[in-house]
Amino acid sequence: MPIVTLTSDIGLQDYLTGAIKGLLLQHCPNAQVVDISHHISPFNLPQATYICRSAFRYYPKDTVHLVLNNLFDRKTDFILLARHQGQYICCADNGLLTMIAGGMPEEVYRISLESAEIRNTLGIVTVMARALARLFGGEMPAQFGTLAQEIVVKNNLQPLTGEDYIEGQILHIDNFENVVVNITREQFHAQRNGRRFAIFFRRDEMITQLSETYADVAEGQKLALFNAAGYLEIAVNKGNAAGLFGLQGFRRDQLQQQAYQQLSFYQTVRILFE
């Protein structure tokens, strides 16, 4: 049974998510449609990247991931279908593909939108659904798409580093208001190099040890750990870290080359080593 996942910033307040699933099932009646998230913050590509990369790796070979975030970043006559690590990613040409893949995917194809095709969310999903029907029917992407020679390239947010520090940005605030920072376990240990450390946020808050679980500290106490996706997380045991400390995620107006210069201390976490 083919598997199709959905990730979007649409939310669940209206009919669109249900209509999208209906369109997919019309064209691919044997597909299993799985939700990853529809609560990505609008236009927040770093957050979408974190959610997608963390979830995609758990799906079997040949799963198709539809990523419907920021579909209308620019007017276009095509969508992208990429083969990456044995799976497929279908999305707009808005830079998100290279962020999720961590670079250029193995193969990228343009799927054309017909001139008469309505350029709204359901019109674009209809084109995606038709392409998936052909893919699931045994055709190769080259039979219904054109190999892309050039696509929009955007890079992931990377932590800033120095000899005695690493500074990360808040990527995501989850349902418990735990704060996810774009510092991976590997990056932390490589920069730490066995030294003592202190994690600073909101200037006056500090954590000097890592926990394995939330229960390692008393209720109401702050902690830092690496979550299941391997990213640094600031949390409060049975509390709300983001609300308590006034921490904020990345905003739409910061998604530009000068983003680092616009970050406030409410959005950054700095780790000092000694």
Side-chain angles (χ1 to χ4, degrees), residues 162-166 191 195 271-274:
E163 183 177 345
D164 59 357
Y165 75 91
I166 183 170
Q191 197 70 16
R195 294 177 289 179
I271 306 175
L272 300 182
F273 303 104
E274 62 177 19

Side-chain angles (χ1 to χ4, degrees), residues 245-258:
F245 300 120
L247 299 174
Q248 303 168 3
F250 222 57
R251 300 194 310 270
R252 176 190 179 187
D253 60 354
Q254 295 171 320
L255 301 179
Q256 46 188 282
Q257 291 182 353
Q258 295 80 24

Side-chain angles (χ1 to χ4, degrees), residues 176-195:
F176 298 95
E177 294 197 23
N178 301 323
V179 175
V180 180
V181 184
N182 71 328
I183 299 174
T184 66
R185 186 193 307 271
E186 292 77 14
Q187 290 170 326
F188 170 80
H189 286 297
Q191 197 70 16
R192 178 187 183 187
N193 195 24
R195 294 177 289 179

